[in-house]
Amino acid sequence: MERFIPGAKSEQHLLFLLKNRERLKAYPDFESVMKQVTEIDTTWKKLCQQLKIEPSFAEENQKGVRKFLYQGGAEIIGLFLQNSEGEKEKIRRLCLAEIADRFYDVKYHEGDLEHEIALEISKENEVAWRENLVTKNGNVKLWEEDRLLPVMQIGELVGHTCLSYRDGGYKECLLSAFDANKKVLYLSLNNQFVFRAFIRLTKGTLTKNKDVNRRLQFVDITKEKPVESPDQRNSKDQKEVLTLFLERPYFKGISDEKQKEVIQMVLRLLRRKAKKLSAQLVLSNDYEGLVQKESGFIRTQYYMYISASKNGKQYLDSLGGMATVNNEGSYRRGTFLLPIEFFNPQNA
């Protein structure tokens, strides 16, 4: 394998070489391997059969195919498809878009974000949501992730979870991560993944709306409508608030104190994000012991909107697990952490 080392530029390249080492004996260097990559990688051939990828498409998108294979794409998707026949057409569309360098045309298809959260979103807010913020501090890097293969690995990169693309108990929910309103936060320390959490753009209220049904009926003149005070009329309680929601955290290999430092870094980034979106930042109750008291968050009941998903099934870490199409478009009450300025906007 030594002769290939000078040409390999990434860990993915090395993993590809190791996986296919028995078929590389006749190749003198890494460059010659890359020229024949689609012929060498038997996982790719199998995936083409499974997803019915036409040879003409692969030929037209050779650069995209090579990049996909360098990153272990064929192996990741192949493992995901085991016992997941029902997901074949969905993952096919995502993979073809990725290879053709049009993945974001699928993830952020025009109108999808508004449809998913049933709330009007301005163009400025949509641009702000799509922008991936990144922050670095020495050997620590925190970033928003929405690409196909890094997100497919959320159940593996920071420890094995129920969303593992290999054998996760809820891997049928994994493709909901590619809804327009979902992203993943990753944090690495010395180039090792040590934290991840979902962020979702959704909406919420402090008091469940009474008019979800919106049925029309004749008015009952014997029941007078109570007069509202100005404070009540201006209350946020009945309003749907654009919400940037941070799901429960996953850590790997760091101390309790380091976890708290990580969350402070996460909060700084998400406050910037929420400000750009004019959205309310809400945290999962799992952060109660991780958020410093002076951070200004308080525990309270909040109704979180369950958005529509292009996958049909989604796993909501902080709302009881799996949600299906029967739950979409409804509010679910839970205990969350909200900034105190939400209740006293004049002090914000």
Side-chain angles (χ1 to χ4, degrees):
M1 300 293 290
E2 187 177 357
R3 65 190 183 280
F4 300 125
I5 300 302
K9 304 297 183 186
S10 69
E11 181 182 357
Q12 285 75 24
H13 289 176
L14 296 176
L15 290 173
F16 173 83
L17 291 168
L18 288 169
K19 183 181 70 174
N20 296 286
R21 59 187 178 275
E22 292 303 317
R23 290 181 288 276
L24 301 180
K25 293 177 181 178
Y27 294 89
D29 53 35
F30 187 74
E31 185 179 354
S32 61
V33 169
M34 290 302 100
K35 288 179 179 178
Q36 299 294 321
V37 65
T38 55
E39 296 301 318
I40 295 169
D41 193 340
T42 56
T43 312
W44 167 247
K45 294 178 182 178
K46 183 179 178 181
L47 189 66
C48 286
Q49 293 173 349
Q50 287 179 295
L51 300 183
K52 295 182 170 58
I53 299 175
E54 297 291 339
S56 58
F57 176 84
E59 181 67 26
E60 291 169 9
N61 296 279
Q62 290 184 42
K63 184 178 179 181
V65 170
R66 290 194 182 97
K67 182 180 178 183
F68 184 72
L69 296 181
Y70 296 164
Q71 296 174 342
E75 186 171 7
I76 290 170
I77 303 304
L79 287 168
F80 171 75
L81 283 170
Q82 291 181 5
N83 305 315
S84 299
E85 284 295 310
E87 312 302 307
K88 191 177 289 186
E89 179 56 27
K90 296 176 213 170
I91 197 65
R92 176 182 177 274
R93 296 182 185 190
L94 292 169
C95 285
L96 293 184
E98 172 74 6
I99 291 168
D101 198 24
R102 295 188 58 191
F103 178 71
Y104 290 139
D105 291 345
V106 174
K107 178 173 174 67
Y108 298 112
H109 188 262
E110 186 176 358
D112 277 2
L113 184 58
E114 284 193 355
H115 177 73
E116 287 168 10
I117 66 176
L119 191 69
E120 186 176 347
I121 302 293
S122 69
K123 285 294 181 184
E124 292 78 10
N125 276 358
E126 190 167 349
V127 169
W129 168 243
R130 288 183 58 167
E131 179 189 1
N132 288 322
L133 299 184
V134 181
T135 183
K136 295 180 181 180
N137 183 11
N139 59 355
V140 179
K141 179 183 176 184
L142 171 67
W143 71 99
E144 295 180 67
E145 185 61 80
D146 58 1
R147 294 172 295 165
L148 176 63
L149 296 178
V151 172
M152 284 293 295
Q153 298 176 76
I154 54 176
E156 292 284 340
L157 291 177
V158 188
H160 184 275
T161 75
C162 63
L163 289 180
S164 166
Y165 65 84
R166 300 172 186 271
D167 55 3
Y170 286 104
K171 81 171 185 175
E172 63 192 299
C173 300
L174 179 55
L175 297 188
S176 69
F178 303 108
D179 292 333
N181 77 318
K182 297 182 181 69
K183 290 187 179 185
V184 179
L185 277 182
Y186 280 125
L187 186 139
S188 65
L189 175 64
N190 295 321
N191 294 318
Q192 298 295 317
F193 288 86
V194 299
F195 164 85
R196 70 96 167 159
F198 268 115
I199 54 173
R200 291 194 287 124
L201 190 63
T202 182
K203 62 183 179 181
T205 66
L206 286 171
T207 304
K208 188 176 182 181
N209 288 336
K210 300 279 194 297
D211 61 343
V212 173
N213 226 338
R214 301 191 186 283
R215 290 187 301 169
L216 293 174
Q217 56 184 328
F218 292 108
V219 67
D220 184 349
I221 61 171
T222 66
K223 295 181 179 178
E224 293 185 13
K225 185 178 180 181
V227 178
E228 292 180 330
S229 69
D231 287 341
Q232 287 176 314
R233 287 196 296 268
N234 294 327
S235 171
K236 287 187 177 184
D237 286 7
Q238 297 296 326
K239 291 183 179 179
E240 295 178 322
V241 180
L242 184 64
T243 301
L244 180 60
F245 181 50
L246 177 63
E247 290 270 15
R248 70 175 278 196
Y250 290 83
F251 298 101
K252 181 181 179 182
I254 57 176
S255 67
D256 291 348
E257 283 304 308
K258 195 66 179 178
Q259 288 179 15
K260 292 178 181 179
E261 290 179 28
V262 164
I263 297 309
Q264 289 307 305
M265 194 171 178
V266 167
L267 290 183
R268 287 193 293 270
L269 182 139
L270 289 184
R271 280 178 167 136
R272 283 169 53 205
K273 187 81 175 180
K275 187 175 182 180
K276 285 173 175 283
L277 291 164
S278 299
Q280 181 58 57
L281 177 59
V282 177
L283 313 182
S284 163
N285 193 46
D286 293 285
Y287 291 88
E288 186 181 14
L290 295 165
V291 174
Q292 298 174 357
K293 291 182 179 179
E294 56 268 27
S295 294
F297 285 88
I298 58 173
R299 289 179 80 239
T300 189
Q301 296 286 300
Y302 192 68
Y303 286 88
M304 195 72 69
Y305 185 75
I306 299 178
S307 57
S309 173
K310 293 188 279 277
N311 188 52
K313 297 176 182 178
Q314 51 189 315
Y315 190 78
L316 306 176
D317 266 333
S318 304
L319 290 172
M322 188 169 76
T324 66
V325 290
N326 294 325
N327 308 114
E328 293 175 359
S330 64
Y331 282 91
R332 188 171 293 177
R333 187 178 68 176
T335 301
F336 304 103
L337 300 180
L338 276 74
I340 195 165
E341 61 261 25
F342 181 61
F343 305 93
N344 301 290
Q346 65 274 17
N347 297 326

